Amino acid sequence: MAKELLEKPLLVLDGGLGTTLEDEHGVKFSSATPLWSSHLLVENTPTLKTVQQDFASAGADIILTATYQCSFEGFKNTKLAHKDGGIELEEAKTYMLSAVDVAREAFRGRRGLVALSLGAYGATMVPSTEYSGAYGSMTENDLFNFHMQRISAFKESPKWEEIDVVAFETLPRIDEVRAVVEVMQQVTDKPYWVSCVFPNDDQKLPDGTTVDELVKTIFPKGARQPWAIGLNCTKIHKVGGLISAFEKASAQLSLDLPRLVVYPDGAGNQVYDTKLQKWVGDNSDQKPWDVQLADILQEVTQRGAWKGIVVGGCCKTTPYHIRQLKTRLEEIK
């Protein structure tokens, strides 16, 4: 069943889990909750289940697990009202694995795909640094070990069978891209995607990497290729140009592109202030988010460069946005 779904030419992702929890369910995050939305695996699972079911009901074919900001360090630093100290390794693994069941149950028995959400290393820092790539003294080998340790918690569990695809998200640095590609040369039994973040207006990663260099790095000669590549948590007005840049880079390298994965934020002109830990600015936009994204994908589909498209939303996109997007996409199939 999963293999059949993975072959569909157009798949819809869910939206912004953490911001939906904040904006629609009154969940408050702070430095005391370094796990962000993953904190609900520990203390508020019913609300997490409600939100993920809402995204599935809105038409999402893929639900990302609530593990984007999970790290063993984050669990250790989590402050809990019912106990002294944080959550140690084995208990942390139990909570992380429970996210797979929550995501699967969101479909309420219908067909759907579960994607293991593995955010950038910077997403686990306080304040988060996935938009800057400022990781301190972390080396490429450190990043490989970080991602390998985290994915191993799932691979060594029976829950691994319930995961359909692995999602490396919001990567801001080329050494981290190399690290996760190397991880997936050793973890060979699941398809995976690599999604990067482009917070600036220069079509480069935060570390200055060009799209040409990025595409070349994602596809080392002789390596197992990703199921999808693309971008997330990026302003929607940048998306069309970035997709074209991916296409041009692949053409120069004579590469056959896999699927495109694209899930921009729905924050309009707002930006996330990592120090204040809140969104600031104006969230207005000229056209509705779903209309803008559907228009972009219409052009992408006409060019025919990609094997398929995986599309959804990131920060500030709600089940309403995903429902609207699903409707728009029916017009371009």
Side-chain angles (χ1 to χ4, degrees), residues 229-278:
I229 64 169
L231 57 100
N232 72 293
C233 216
T234 296
K235 293 300 176 191
I236 197 165
H237 71 267
K238 305 174 188 177
V239 168
L242 283 164
I243 295 173
S244 294
F246 273 92
E247 293 172 5
K248 290 176 183 175
S250 67
Q252 290 171 357
L253 295 169
S254 299
L255 289 172
D256 292 327
L257 283 168
R259 287 159 183 80
L260 168 69
V261 60
V262 54
Y263 42 125
D265 74 40
N269 294 317
Q270 285 184 304
V271 295
Y272 186 71
D273 188 311
T274 57
K275 292 183 179 179
L276 297 176
Q277 292 192 314
K278 68 178 183 179

Side-chain angles (χ1 to χ4, degrees), residues 127-141:
S128 61
T129 61
E130 71 264 51
Y131 302 112
S132 67
Y135 290 4
S137 61
M138 290 291 287
T139 66
E140 185 174 327
N141 188 58

Side-chain angles (χ1 to χ4, degrees), residues 41-310:
L41 295 168
V42 181
E43 292 195 315
N44 195 353
T45 306
T47 299
L48 175 62
K49 288 181 175 180
T50 295
V51 173
Q52 295 208 309
Q53 287 172 359
D54 287 347
F55 277 119
S57 297
D61 302 301
I62 304 175
I63 296 293
L64 286 150
T65 58
T67 50
Y68 173 76
Q69 284 173 303
C70 274
S71 72
F72 296 116
E73 188 70 17
F75 276 104
K76 191 173 181 179
N77 292 333
T78 296
K79 295 178 175 61
L80 300 172
H82 65 277
K83 64 179 289 188
D84 293 328
I87 300 169
E88 298 301 327
L89 181 65
E90 291 305 316
E91 189 178 3
K93 287 182 180 180
T94 299
Y95 284 123
M96 289 166 68
L97 293 169
S98 71
V100 179
D101 289 333
V102 174
R104 176 63 64 196
E105 291 166 6
F107 293 108
R108 300 182 184 183
R110 76 170 175 86
R111 296 199 312 165
L113 298 168
V114 171
L116 175 60
S117 171
L118 298 175
Y121 172 77
T124 70
M125 300 177 72
V126 180
S128 61
T129 61
E130 71 264 51
Y131 302 112
S132 67
Y135 290 4
S137 61
M138 290 291 287
T139 66
E140 185 174 327
N141 188 58
D142 292 333
L143 292 169
F144 172 85
N145 289 335
F146 167 78
H147 285 287
M148 180 60 83
Q149 181 191 32
R150 190 166 52 166
I151 199 171
S152 294
F154 294 91
K155 183 169 175 51
E156 294 166 2
S157 162
K159 300 295 182 188
W160 185 244
E161 295 302 315
E162 288 296 317
I163 295 167
D164 300 305
V165 59
V166 177
F168 293 101
E169 307 184 87
T170 332
L171 303 183
R173 293 167 44 142
I174 198 66
D175 57 350
E176 190 163 24
V177 172
R178 280 194 298 266
V180 301
V181 169
E182 179 57 31
V183 166
M184 296 311 290
Q185 304 313 301
Q186 299 188 28
V187 180
T188 59
D189 57 339
K190 296 290 179 184
Y192 71 101
W193 79 62
V194 176
S195 180
C196 292
V197 63
F198 296 85
N200 303 317
D201 292 324
D202 56 5
Q203 291 194 341
K204 295 180 180 179
L205 297 184
D207 70 350
T209 299
T210 64
V211 173
D212 287 356
E213 186 180 353
L214 173 61
V215 171
K216 188 175 181 179
T217 301
I218 293 174
F219 296 97
K221 289 184 179 180
R224 186 171 84 95
Q225 296 192 355
W227 177 74
I229 64 169
L231 57 100
N232 72 293
C233 216
T234 296
K235 293 300 176 191
I236 197 165
H237 71 267
K238 305 174 188 177
V239 168
L242 283 164
I243 295 173
S244 294
F246 273 92
E247 293 172 5
K248 290 176 183 175
S250 67
Q252 290 171 357
L253 295 169
S254 299
L255 289 172
D256 292 327
L257 283 168
R259 287 159 183 80
L260 168 69
V261 60
V262 54
Y263 42 125
D265 74 40
N269 294 317
Q270 285 184 304
V271 295
Y272 186 71
D273 188 311
T274 57
K275 292 183 179 179
L276 297 176
Q277 292 192 314
K278 68 178 183 179
W279 291 86
V280 296
D282 180 10
N283 68 352
S284 63
D285 227 329
Q286 291 182 337
K287 288 198 297 186
W289 177 86
D290 58 285
V291 175
Q292 293 183 73
L293 192 48
D295 287 347
I296 292 167
L297 296 183
Q298 179 75 60
E299 296 178 4
V300 172
T301 301
Q302 289 173 352
R303 292 197 298 268
W306 301 85
K307 189 175 180 180
I309 297 173
V310 182

Side-chain angles (χ1 to χ4, degrees), residues 308-327:
I309 297 173
V310 182
V311 59
C314 207
C315 299
K316 292 293 183 180
T317 54
T318 65
Y320 169 80
H321 291 101
I322 299 305
R323 189 180 300 279
Q324 293 296 105
L325 177 64
K326 183 88 170 183
T327 301

